[in-house]
Amino acid sequence: PGFIDTHVHNTQHLGRGLGDGCDMPTLLLERLYAYEAAMTPEDAYWAAKLCQLELIKAGTTCFLDPSSYYPEETARATGDTGMRGIISRTAFDVQNTRIGRLPRQSLFRETTSEALERAEQTVVEYANSFDGRVDAWFSIRIPVGCSDELCRGIKRLADKHGVGIVTHCCESQDQ
């Protein structure tokens, strides 16, 4: 038996320290999302692999990743490290949120139907993969970036596929 980390963004691992000393809107909108927008799939893979190697070193054998735009790379890293994990794909459809505007990069610019389609594709492709060690859920990464329509669509798809939903809820006073 090992520890289970119920909230670790694998692909943000190389961005540790970017939010030191800043508020949540600055952390998300100016630092972490800019970091994610600059990543390549290869960067995401190595970030996830390094994250998982540190988890293993600390005695963690399973994780829940509350989403990224690189679930494929996280799944592949999990297959390589031998860990167990649940991955999900980020779904946003509101670009001008109560905490500020999302970056202008196309990574963050999806319609509701595009976000739902890409999230469902992740679940279909990676549910019960890598000999059952990797599962895939749906994500409402931050509620302020998701319309009611997107939230209802994610719930409908999670029910359809019999999987869970992971989200951040009120992670700061700004939300």
Side-chain angles (χ1 to χ4, degrees):
F3 293 112
I4 298 171
D5 189 327
T6 61
H7 187 110
V8 60
H9 291 275
N10 280 251
T11 59
Q12 287 182 358
H13 194 71
L14 296 175
R16 288 190 309 188
L18 289 175
D20 290 353
C22 67
D23 62 8
M24 190 59 68
T26 302
L27 167 66
L28 293 176
L29 301 173
E30 295 177 21
R31 297 184 184 180
L32 282 178
Y33 294 164
Y35 157 83
E36 283 186 87
M39 291 185 91
T40 66
E42 184 176 0
D43 295 335
Y45 168 78
W46 287 108
K49 196 162 188 182
L50 178 59
C51 176
Q52 291 174 32
L53 292 175
E54 286 194 13
L55 289 170
I56 291 167
K57 183 178 178 183
T60 302
T61 59
C62 183
F63 65 84
L64 173 62
D65 188 315
S67 86
S68 77
Y69 287 100
Y70 298 99
E72 299 88 359
E73 288 72 16
T74 302
R76 188 166 55 100
T78 309
D80 291 348
T81 64
M83 288 193 78
R84 294 177 297 130
I86 298 171
I87 63 165
S88 60
R89 187 188 185 282
T90 298
F92 285 138
D93 66 346
V94 175
Q95 283 78 43
N96 191 18
T97 74
R98 289 190 311 271
I99 63 170
R101 182 175 284 287
L102 291 177
R104 296 198 190 290
Q105 289 88 347
S106 62
L107 186 68
F108 297 92
R109 302 295 167 163
E110 296 178 319
T111 65
T112 304
S113 61
E114 288 170 336
L116 289 170
E117 179 181 320
R118 291 170 183 158
E120 184 175 28
Q121 180 182 352
T122 296
V123 169
V124 168
E125 189 166 339
Y126 292 101
N128 200 31
S129 61
F130 293 95
D131 298 320
R133 290 183 296 104
V134 174
D135 208 353
W137 287 6
F138 289 93
S139 174
I140 299 171
R141 185 162 173 178
I142 58 169
V144 298
C146 302
S147 68
D148 290 348
E149 181 183 357
L150 179 61
C151 292
R152 284 190 293 271
I154 284 176
K155 169 69 168 121
R156 186 182 67 253
L157 288 171
D159 288 347
K160 173 184 169 183
H161 293 282
V163 299
I165 300 171
V166 63
T167 187
H168 296 92
C169 251
C170 298
E171 65 183 338
S172 73
Q173 288 183 339
D174 301 303
Q175 291 183 14

